[in-house]
Each structure stands twice: as C-alpha cells, then as structure tokens.
Amino acid sequence: MAQFDEPLIVVGVDGSSHSKEALRWAAGQAKAVGGRVDAVMAWEWSRNPFDLGVPATDDEDTELLTAEEAARRMLLEAVGDALGPDPGVPVTKRVVQGPPAQVLVEASEKASLIAVGTRGYGGFKAAVLGSVSQQVVQYARCTVVVVRPGATA
C-alpha cells in the first residue's frame, strides 16, 4: 500500500446512484482522515462499427460526443450531484481509457483506499458483487471499501 502525507481515496464512478453513494462515502472518509478524493471514470472505444457517437444531452445541442467527451460530462455531473459545489475536501476528476476494473486496479497502486459502489440487491443476490467491484476487491493494491446503498444516510 502506498504511503502519503494526505491519504488518497480513489472512487470508481460510472454515473449510477451506486457510484454516487460511494462518492459521498469517500468524501466523508476523506474529511475524517484529512485526505483527498480522486473520482475516476473509465471509458472504452466502441467496438460497434455503426456507433458514430453519443448524442449530446442538451436539446439545443445536436453535436455528437466521443466516448471520452461523454464520460467527462457524465463524471462532472455525477460528482456535482453527489457532492454539490463544495465537497469540503479536495476532489480531482479523471477520465481514463480502458476497462473499468483494470483502470481502478491500476489507480489503486497510488491510493490509500479505493471505494466502489454496488447494486442494492437483497436476499441471495446481496452476496454477489458486480463484476467490476468483484475484480477490484480481488486485485486492488490497497484496501477496498464496497459501499452498499444507504451507507451515507
């Protein structure tokens, strides 16, 4: 595990409510330990030859976004939704090309802690993590916290 004067908490963000919950948890933890948050969103090249781009979300804006641009916008929106304009801790936002689990495992090499969200299944499914969460738990180079829904309430 990497040692830093200011603990770095990496959070996997995909725009879902689960990842926003992980962001809120990470910001609270960063406040408690005097750390900082690195919100990371992965994007991949489309393998679909007919995929020309992602439509922009504004009705007046008809441009097509590249996968990277769409990810960047989604990350900014997710961080804003989860933490508001003043999160109370330093938050960096990074968009990285690659499979999400691989991107997060690589980011864990410089982190004190990594936080990922998980779907809020009940019963038997509650014992099963999502594929990205499972891979991060298995291969990360630092402590991993899997944030369940309602953890920041």
Side-chain angles (χ1 to χ4, degrees):
M1 181 170 82
Q3 297 295 320
F4 297 97
D5 292 331
E6 186 179 50
L8 173 64
I9 302 173
V10 172
V11 184
V13 181
D14 64 5
S16 69
S17 61
H18 315 292
S19 68
K20 291 175 188 176
E21 189 85 15
L23 269 168
R24 285 188 285 275
W25 183 90
Q29 182 67 16
K31 285 179 191 176
V33 300
R36 57 195 170 100
V37 173
D38 186 16
V40 179
M41 178 174 279
W43 68 275
E44 295 186 84
W45 292 105
S46 174
R47 294 184 174 107
N48 181 348
F50 300 106
D51 187 11
L52 301 175
V54 177
T57 56
D58 298 332
D59 292 335
E60 298 174 14
D61 196 353
T62 58
E63 70 177 310
L64 290 178
L65 302 175
T66 66
E68 182 177 13
E69 291 166 335
R72 191 170 314 285
R73 286 189 184 185
M74 187 182 301
L75 177 61
L76 290 172
E77 183 178 322
V79 171
D81 288 350
L83 303 179
D86 183 21
V89 295
V91 178
T92 56
K93 300 166 213 63
R94 292 190 305 126
V95 174
V96 181
Q97 192 275 323
Q102 178 182 334
V103 166
L104 293 174
V105 168
E106 288 173 3
S108 75
E109 293 178 13
K110 296 180 181 177
S112 301
L113 179 76
I114 188 163
V116 292
T118 188
R119 290 172 177 75
Y121 294 129
F124 176 74
K125 285 186 176 181
V128 180
L129 295 175
S131 62
V132 172
S133 297
Q134 183 175 351
Q135 290 178 52
V136 172
V137 166
Q138 189 170 3
Y139 297 108
R141 305 271 189 212
C142 65
T143 301
V144 179
V145 174
V146 179
V147 179
R148 299 246 180 231
T152 58

